[in-house]
Short mmCIF file of all heavy atoms in Angstrom, two decimals:
data_model
loop_
_atom_site.label_atom_id
_atom_site.label_comp_id
_atom_site.label_asym_id
_atom_site.label_seq_id
_atom_site.Cartn_x
_atom_site.Cartn_y
_atom_site.Cartn_z
N ILE I 1 0.84 -1.21 0.00
CA ILE I 1 0.00 0.00 0.00
C ILE I 1 0.87 1.25 0.00
O ILE I 1 0.61 2.22 -0.73
CB ILE I 1 -0.94 -0.02 1.22
CG1 ILE I 1 -2.00 -1.11 1.04
CG2 ILE I 1 -1.62 1.34 1.41
CD1 ILE I 1 -2.87 -1.34 2.26
N ALA I 2 1.93 1.24 0.82
CA ALA I 2 2.83 2.40 0.87
C ALA I 2 3.56 2.59 -0.45
O ALA I 2 3.69 3.71 -0.95
CB ALA I 2 3.82 2.23 2.02
N GLN I 3 4.02 1.49 -1.03
CA GLN I 3 4.77 1.57 -2.28
C GLN I 3 3.91 2.09 -3.43
O GLN I 3 4.42 2.74 -4.36
CB GLN I 3 5.34 0.19 -2.63
CG GLN I 3 6.25 0.18 -3.85
CD GLN I 3 7.52 0.99 -3.63
OE1 GLN I 3 8.35 0.65 -2.80
NE2 GLN I 3 7.67 2.09 -4.37
N ALA I 4 2.62 1.84 -3.38
CA ALA I 4 1.72 2.25 -4.47
C ALA I 4 1.42 3.75 -4.45
O ALA I 4 0.88 4.28 -5.44
CB ALA I 4 0.41 1.47 -4.39
N ASP I 5 1.76 4.45 -3.37
CA ASP I 5 1.47 5.88 -3.31
C ASP I 5 2.41 6.65 -4.24
O ASP I 5 3.62 6.40 -4.25
CB ASP I 5 1.63 6.39 -1.87
CG ASP I 5 1.05 7.77 -1.69
OD1 ASP I 5 1.74 8.76 -2.03
OD2 ASP I 5 -0.10 7.87 -1.23
N PRO I 6 1.88 7.58 -5.02
CA PRO I 6 2.72 8.31 -5.99
C PRO I 6 3.82 9.17 -5.36
O PRO I 6 4.81 9.50 -6.04
CB PRO I 6 1.71 9.18 -6.74
CG PRO I 6 0.53 9.30 -5.82
CD PRO I 6 0.48 8.01 -5.10
N ALA I 7 3.68 9.52 -4.09
CA ALA I 7 4.70 10.34 -3.45
C ALA I 7 5.85 9.52 -2.87
O ALA I 7 6.83 10.08 -2.39
CB ALA I 7 4.06 11.18 -2.33
N VAL I 8 5.74 8.20 -2.91
CA VAL I 8 6.75 7.31 -2.32
C VAL I 8 7.65 6.74 -3.41
O VAL I 8 7.17 6.08 -4.35
CB VAL I 8 6.08 6.16 -1.53
CG1 VAL I 8 7.13 5.19 -1.01
CG2 VAL I 8 5.26 6.73 -0.38
N GLU I 9 8.94 7.04 -3.30
CA GLU I 9 9.92 6.46 -4.22
C GLU I 9 10.15 4.98 -3.91
O GLU I 9 10.17 4.15 -4.80
CB GLU I 9 11.24 7.22 -4.10
CG GLU I 9 12.36 6.70 -4.99
CD GLU I 9 12.11 7.03 -6.46
OE1 GLU I 9 11.40 8.03 -6.74
OE2 GLU I 9 12.62 6.29 -7.33
N LYS I 10 10.32 4.69 -2.61
CA LYS I 10 10.52 3.30 -2.19
C LYS I 10 10.06 3.11 -0.76
O LYS I 10 10.41 3.91 0.12
CB LYS I 10 12.00 2.90 -2.32
CG LYS I 10 12.29 1.47 -1.89
CD LYS I 10 13.73 1.11 -2.10
CE LYS I 10 14.06 -0.28 -1.58
NZ LYS I 10 13.21 -1.33 -2.19
N ALA I 11 9.26 2.07 -0.54
CA ALA I 11 8.89 1.68 0.82
C ALA I 11 9.99 0.75 1.32
O ALA I 11 10.07 -0.42 0.91
CB ALA I 11 7.54 0.98 0.83
N ASN I 12 10.86 1.27 2.18
CA ASN I 12 12.05 0.52 2.60
C ASN I 12 11.72 -0.69 3.47
O ASN I 12 12.28 -1.77 3.30
CB ASN I 12 13.00 1.45 3.37
CG ASN I 12 13.41 2.65 2.56
OD1 ASN I 12 13.72 2.53 1.38
ND2 ASN I 12 13.40 3.82 3.19
N GLY I 13 10.82 -0.50 4.40
CA GLY I 13 10.49 -1.58 5.32
C GLY I 13 9.45 -1.13 6.33
O GLY I 13 9.09 0.05 6.39
N VAL I 14 8.96 -2.07 7.11
CA VAL I 14 7.96 -1.77 8.12
C VAL I 14 8.28 -2.58 9.38
O VAL I 14 8.68 -3.74 9.31
CB VAL I 14 6.54 -2.10 7.61
CG1 VAL I 14 6.40 -3.59 7.25
CG2 VAL I 14 5.49 -1.70 8.65
N LEU I 15 8.13 -1.93 10.52
CA LEU I 15 8.25 -2.58 11.82
C LEU I 15 6.88 -2.60 12.46
O LEU I 15 6.20 -1.57 12.49
CB LEU I 15 9.24 -1.85 12.73
CG LEU I 15 10.65 -1.67 12.16
CD1 LEU I 15 11.52 -0.89 13.15
CD2 LEU I 15 11.29 -3.01 11.84
N THR I 16 6.46 -3.75 12.94
CA THR I 16 5.12 -3.87 13.51
C THR I 16 5.18 -4.56 14.86
O THR I 16 6.11 -5.31 15.15
CB THR I 16 4.20 -4.70 12.58
OG1 THR I 16 4.78 -6.00 12.38
CG2 THR I 16 4.01 -4.01 11.24
N VAL I 17 4.17 -4.30 15.67
CA VAL I 17 4.03 -4.99 16.95
C VAL I 17 2.54 -5.12 17.26
O VAL I 17 1.78 -4.17 17.04
CB VAL I 17 4.77 -4.25 18.08
CG1 VAL I 17 4.19 -2.87 18.31
CG2 VAL I 17 4.74 -5.06 19.37
N HIS I 18 2.15 -6.29 17.75
CA HIS I 18 0.76 -6.52 18.13
C HIS I 18 0.54 -5.99 19.54
O HIS I 18 1.17 -6.43 20.49
CB HIS I 18 0.44 -8.02 18.09
CG HIS I 18 -0.17 -8.46 16.79
ND1 HIS I 18 -1.52 -8.43 16.56
CD2 HIS I 18 0.39 -8.94 15.67
CE1 HIS I 18 -1.77 -8.88 15.34
NE2 HIS I 18 -0.61 -9.19 14.77
N MET I 19 -0.41 -5.05 19.66
CA MET I 19 -0.84 -4.57 20.96
C MET I 19 -2.03 -5.38 21.46
O MET I 19 -2.44 -5.27 22.62
CB MET I 19 -1.20 -3.09 20.89
CG MET I 19 -0.09 -2.21 20.36
SD MET I 19 1.44 -2.33 21.33
CE MET I 19 0.91 -1.65 22.89
N GLY I 20 -2.62 -6.17 20.58
CA GLY I 20 -3.76 -7.02 20.86
C GLY I 20 -4.01 -7.87 19.63
O GLY I 20 -3.37 -7.67 18.59
N PRO I 21 -4.93 -8.84 19.71
CA PRO I 21 -5.19 -9.69 18.55
C PRO I 21 -5.54 -8.93 17.28
O PRO I 21 -5.13 -9.31 16.18
CB PRO I 21 -6.38 -10.55 19.01
CG PRO I 21 -6.26 -10.57 20.50
CD PRO I 21 -5.73 -9.23 20.88
N GLU I 22 -6.29 -7.83 17.41
CA GLU I 22 -6.70 -7.03 16.24
C GLU I 22 -6.18 -5.60 16.34
O GLU I 22 -6.80 -4.68 15.81
CB GLU I 22 -8.24 -7.03 16.13
CG GLU I 22 -8.86 -8.40 16.02
CD GLU I 22 -8.48 -9.11 14.72
OE1 GLU I 22 -8.22 -8.40 13.73
OE2 GLU I 22 -8.44 -10.36 14.71
N GLN I 23 -5.05 -5.40 17.01
CA GLN I 23 -4.48 -4.06 17.18
C GLN I 23 -2.99 -4.11 16.88
O GLN I 23 -2.21 -4.68 17.64
CB GLN I 23 -4.72 -3.55 18.60
CG GLN I 23 -6.19 -3.42 18.97
CD GLN I 23 -6.39 -3.07 20.44
OE1 GLN I 23 -5.43 -2.80 21.15
NE2 GLN I 23 -7.62 -3.08 20.89
N ILE I 24 -2.61 -3.52 15.75
CA ILE I 24 -1.22 -3.51 15.30
C ILE I 24 -0.73 -2.08 15.18
O ILE I 24 -1.41 -1.23 14.60
CB ILE I 24 -1.07 -4.22 13.94
CG1 ILE I 24 -1.53 -5.68 14.03
CG2 ILE I 24 0.38 -4.16 13.45
CD1 ILE I 24 -1.58 -6.38 12.69
N VAL I 25 0.45 -1.81 15.72
CA VAL I 25 1.12 -0.53 15.54
C VAL I 25 2.22 -0.74 14.50
O VAL I 25 3.02 -1.67 14.62
CB VAL I 25 1.72 -0.01 16.85
CG1 VAL I 25 2.54 1.25 16.60
CG2 VAL I 25 0.61 0.26 17.86
N ALA I 26 2.24 0.10 13.47
CA ALA I 26 3.20 -0.06 12.37
C ALA I 26 4.07 1.18 12.24
O ALA I 26 3.59 2.32 12.35
CB ALA I 26 2.45 -0.31 11.06
N GLY I 27 5.36 0.97 12.00
CA GLY I 27 6.30 2.06 11.72
C GLY I 27 6.88 1.86 10.33
O GLY I 27 7.51 0.84 10.05
N LEU I 28 6.64 2.81 9.44
CA LEU I 28 7.07 2.70 8.04
C LEU I 28 8.31 3.54 7.79
O LEU I 28 8.38 4.70 8.22
CB LEU I 28 5.95 3.16 7.11
CG LEU I 28 4.86 2.16 6.77
CD1 LEU I 28 3.66 2.87 6.15
CD2 LEU I 28 5.39 1.10 5.81
N SER I 29 9.29 2.95 7.11
CA SER I 29 10.43 3.70 6.62
C SER I 29 10.21 3.95 5.13
O SER I 29 10.16 2.99 4.33
CB SER I 29 11.73 2.91 6.84
OG SER I 29 12.81 3.52 6.16
N LEU I 30 10.07 5.22 4.74
CA LEU I 30 9.74 5.56 3.36
C LEU I 30 10.78 6.52 2.77
O LEU I 30 11.21 7.47 3.43
CB LEU I 30 8.36 6.21 3.28
CG LEU I 30 7.18 5.41 3.83
CD1 LEU I 30 5.88 6.19 3.66
CD2 LEU I 30 7.07 4.05 3.15
N ASP I 31 11.14 6.24 1.53
CA ASP I 31 12.00 7.14 0.76
C ASP I 31 11.09 7.87 -0.21
O ASP I 31 10.57 7.29 -1.17
CB ASP I 31 13.06 6.33 0.01
CG ASP I 31 14.11 7.22 -0.65
OD1 ASP I 31 13.97 8.45 -0.55
OD2 ASP I 31 15.04 6.68 -1.27
N PHE I 32 10.84 9.17 0.06
CA PHE I 32 9.92 9.93 -0.77
C PHE I 32 10.60 10.40 -2.06
O PHE I 32 11.84 10.44 -2.15
CB PHE I 32 9.39 11.13 0.02
CG PHE I 32 8.48 10.76 1.15
CD1 PHE I 32 8.97 10.63 2.45
CD2 PHE I 32 7.13 10.51 0.93
CE1 PHE I 32 8.14 10.27 3.49
CE2 PHE I 32 6.29 10.16 1.98
CZ PHE I 32 6.79 10.04 3.25
#
């Protein structure tokens, strides 16, 4: 999804952690 955005040159990676079964916090590294 991040890579498909026209303002993003490259979606480098994502760090995620489950705060609950249906609750995820995501950190995106993006090269605009």
Side-chain angles (χ1 to χ4, degrees):
I1 290 173
Q3 185 64 66
D5 192 278
V8 176
E9 179 72 26
K10 180 177 176 57
N12 302 317
V14 60
L15 303 179
T16 59
V17 62
H18 266 272
M19 304 302 295
E22 302 294 332
Q23 299 173 7
I24 300 172
V25 174
L28 277 165
S29 170
L30 302 181
D31 188 358
F32 291 96

